[in-house]
Amino acid sequence: MIEAVLFDMDGILIDSEREYDKAMREAITRYGHIITDEFLLRVRGIPVEAFKKSLKLEFGRDFPVEKFRNDFKSIVWQNIRQYGMPVKNGVYQLIQYLEVNNIRYAVATINNRAKTKKKKKETNKKRQNKNKEYDKKIKHDK
């Protein structure tokens, strides 16, 4: 019998990888470059220092890594505020199943606590707004 479940947040519960890839592609265009799928796969999930090194190797030693990272993060947070972070299909149903069956669960992430709370807040806000819109449609149907 399952007693507890431990989830990784990014890529398992939320579709952060796709959002990060889109933001990285957008940010890099500001520097006259493009990012390939191969590069994105190589840097996915690596530590920050290794990521910085990969950027220098890919785009040259004079590439403004910190400026790029700031642009990238800014785009990610702008998108999260506007759209929320997409939750993977089936997550809400899985959580409901765990709760109904009194199975404990926890979420692990490499992100710091403040960043994680911010992602959760923005994602929940978008989810609540969607539910309100859905409720309105039902109330005014036919």
Side-chain angles (χ1 to χ4, degrees):
M1 179 173 157
I2 298 173
E3 294 182 29
V5 177
L6 177 63
F7 294 104
D8 180 36
M9 184 176 70
D10 289 304
I12 301 297
L13 296 179
I14 59 175
D15 201 359
S16 54
E17 292 171 349
R18 188 178 343 183
E19 295 304 308
Y20 294 156
D21 290 355
K22 285 192 304 191
M24 205 176 302
R25 287 181 195 277
E26 183 180 334
I28 201 72
T29 62
R30 298 175 182 181
Y31 303 92
H33 297 286
I34 60 166
I35 287 183
T36 63
D37 291 340
E38 292 78 19
F39 178 80
L40 292 172
L41 288 172
R42 266 197 326 270
V43 299
R44 185 167 291 143
I46 66 174
V48 172
E49 290 306 315
F51 177 65
K52 290 178 182 181
K53 185 177 179 181
S54 295
L55 286 169
K56 293 273 188 188
L57 288 171
E58 187 78 11
F59 303 111
R61 64 185 174 133
D62 294 331
F63 183 76
V65 170
E66 290 307 321
K67 187 167 178 4
F68 168 77
R69 288 186 68 234
N70 289 336
D71 289 346
F72 162 70
K73 288 187 256 184
S74 175
I75 292 167
V76 167
W77 285 111
Q78 177 184 355
N79 289 343
I80 289 173
R81 280 190 299 278
Q82 187 171 358
Y83 306 109
M85 184 63 82
V87 176
K88 293 275 193 153
N89 289 335
V91 167
Y92 295 123
Q93 294 86 347
L94 178 56
I95 298 298
Q96 183 179 20
Y97 172 85
L98 295 173
E99 289 175 350
V100 164
N101 289 285
N102 294 316
I103 300 172
R104 297 181 307 169
Y105 61 92
V107 177
T109 182
I110 195 167
N111 295 315
N112 66 38
R113 185 177 293 268
K115 187 176 179 182
T116 302
K117 284 183 177 182
K118 188 174 177 183
K119 276 184 187 177
K120 183 179 180 218
K121 179 181 174 187
E122 294 297 334
T123 299
N124 284 340
K125 191 185 322 177
K126 296 301 174 192
R127 181 175 177 223
Q128 289 168 356
N129 287 341
K130 285 181 183 175
N131 287 344
K132 287 177 188 173
E133 289 172 19
Y134 180 73
D135 290 343
K136 286 180 190 174
K137 287 178 185 174
I138 292 175
K139 288 177 185 174
H140 298 296
D141 193 29
K142 296 188 180 181

